[in-house]
Amino acid sequence: MARQVPIEAVFEALGSVKYPGYSADIVALGIVEAAEAIPTGGYAITLRQATEREEVIRELAARIHQALTHDLGIPKVELRAHRIEAELGEKTGRVRLEGIKHIVAVGSGKGGVGKSTVAANLALALASLGLSVGLLDADIYGPSIPMMFGVGAERPKSAGGQNFYPIEKYGVKMISIGFFLGEKAPIIWRGPMVMGAVRQFLKDTLWGSQDFLIVDLPPGTGDAQLTLAQQVSIDGVVIVTTPQDVALLDANRAVKMFRQVHCPILGVVENMSYFVCPDCGERDELFGEGGGERMAREEGTRVLGRLPIYPEVREAGDAGMPIVIANPKHPASAAFIELARQIVEATSAG
């Protein structure tokens, strides 16, 4: 009988296998359900089938066989697929967070489109509607929520063990890596550390009872997004883009990524949609026109809101008091409150 390779070595080898198209490995993502020894020294590997794309499945199988058969020397490898469906929720490994009614993620395909500004003002707009709101800053490499709320110097208090209390301001409870490392400290972490931080923020923060938890994701389609999709049941994702083609192209990629991991898309927010001259009142589409609508139509979703450019929005965020709080009657605040109403309607939380 052939020598049996230890199970620890099998999982270590599987931990070197990246999921096709992503930087995270299949063990960290929860794709590997089980590894069982079989006669003749082989192993049966059970995988969560998280995609219907045949080319991805074939590529993943090839990578696993390379890692186990060729690199580790296992004589026989059987791959078994555990088919999962989007609507099965908890059976995919996702859970509802205790006390949280709705989780809404705010994402974007690229940086510089105002995603964090949208997330911060959306959270405050929901609070202004009388809802209880938490805000999780999952943008590990570029946390900006502490600065935008003027609480960068504060530190979360320990609740004993691994749990901690979120920081609260303007009626919103929030957590961010910026509270632990400081606003200007560089985050030089590999993927597993990022994924671990997002998991800890989700499950170790004492959020209490909240109507909404808004998650400000980093731009792109990386480790933090996949961790969120694997760990919790998300009610929907809001994709923030600007009207120009390069932003729309990246936003399309983000939509496809979230759908591949079975996260529903609530809709598109077209930020910096237009500029209104303060002197003459003339409207100008500085970055193009109709891009968000075209993208929503192509992706089978809808435009949740078109947010204009106002210098006051940037100034308010830089001052630590987002525009919804700094000037509730400003046209930008009205646009954010309308966006909040759309989110409430889309999640049937009214």
Side-chain angles (χ1 to χ4, degrees):
M1 179 178 292
R3 179 183 64 87
Q4 189 77 52
V5 174
I7 187 71
E8 295 82 6
V10 172
F11 273 98
E12 184 178 351
L14 290 171
S16 69
V17 177
K18 306 297 184 186
Y19 192 85
Y22 301 104
S23 61
D25 68 83
I26 59 175
V27 174
L29 289 174
I31 299 295
V32 179
E33 278 197 354
E36 300 175 61
I38 57 176
T40 70
Y43 270 91
I45 310 298
T46 303
L47 306 174
R48 297 178 189 271
Q49 185 179 333
T51 179
E52 297 291 337
R53 295 172 58 192
E54 290 295 331
E55 67 274 18
V56 173
I57 296 171
R58 286 195 298 270
E59 174 65 19
L60 183 57
R63 293 183 184 186
I64 292 172
H65 277 286
Q66 175 67 38
L68 298 184
T69 303
H70 298 284
D71 298 345
L72 199 57
I74 295 177
K76 182 178 179 60
V77 174
E78 294 180 5
L79 295 182
R80 301 169 180 173
H82 174 197
R83 183 182 177 87
I84 59 175
E85 303 291 345
E87 60 269 23
L88 292 183
E90 283 72 15
K91 292 186 180 180
T92 68
R94 301 169 185 158
V95 297
R96 301 297 305 187
L97 290 183
E98 185 177 357
I100 305 293
K101 292 182 181 178
H102 299 280
I103 300 177
V104 173
V106 180
S108 67
K110 67 188 297 293
V113 298
K115 170 188 54 61
S116 293
T117 297
V118 170
N121 281 284
L122 172 59
L124 291 166
L126 287 166
S128 76
L129 297 178
L131 299 165
S132 54
V133 184
L135 176 58
L136 192 163
D137 185 359
D139 194 346
I140 302 296
Y141 294 116
S144 54
I145 294 300
M147 184 193 75
M148 296 180 70
F149 278 75
V151 289
E154 296 195 27
R155 299 292 178 263
K157 293 180 180 179
S158 172
Q162 292 184 316
N163 299 117
F164 43 81
Y165 295 101
I167 301 296
E168 184 169 358
K169 192 168 184 182
Y170 306 134
V172 171
K173 294 181 178 180
M174 68 196 92
I175 203 70
S176 169
I177 195 66
F179 294 138
F180 296 90
L181 301 180
E183 290 182 336
K184 297 182 180 180
I187 313 297
I188 310 172
W189 288 357
R190 293 190 183 275
M193 293 182 68
V194 172
M195 297 165 78
V198 173
R199 278 195 292 266
Q200 186 176 11
F201 287 164
L202 281 167
K203 297 184 177 181
D204 293 344
T205 306
L206 298 181
W207 294 107
S209 297
Q210 303 293 325
D211 294 310
F212 279 90
L213 177 64
I214 303 299
V215 183
D216 179 23
L217 289 170
T221 55
D223 297 316
Q225 291 88 334
L226 288 169
T227 299
L228 184 71
Q230 289 286 332
Q231 294 290 314
V232 296
S233 183
I234 302 171
D235 292 274
V237 181
V238 175
I239 300 294
V240 180
T241 185
T242 50
Q244 67 265 47
D245 289 342
V246 65
L248 292 166
L249 180 64
D250 290 327
N252 273 307
R253 293 192 184 102
V255 169
K256 288 178 171 58
M257 185 278 289
F258 282 114
R259 283 186 169 150
Q260 186 169 324
V261 294
H262 307 310
C263 292
I265 304 297
L266 294 182
V268 177
V269 172
E270 187 180 88
N271 197 25
M272 308 181 202
S273 185
Y274 57 89
F275 172 73
V276 178
C277 175
D279 297 323
C280 65
E282 184 176 345
R283 174 168 162 161
D284 189 359
E285 282 78 12
L286 298 176
F287 299 115
E289 184 179 2
E293 186 67 45
R294 289 195 304 276
M295 176 192 151
R297 187 167 56 249
E298 291 169 3
E299 296 295 340
T301 185
R302 61 180 178 135
V303 176
L304 292 167
R306 296 180 178 85
L307 306 176
I309 300 172
Y310 284 103
E312 295 91 336
V313 175
R314 176 197 55 81
E315 293 165 0
D318 288 349
M321 184 180 288
I323 192 69
V324 170
I325 294 295
N327 188 351
K329 295 185 178 180
H330 192 279
S333 298
F336 282 118
I337 291 170
E338 178 56 30
L339 173 61
R341 295 185 193 279
Q342 293 290 328
I343 298 297
V344 171
E345 179 182 343
T347 54
S348 302

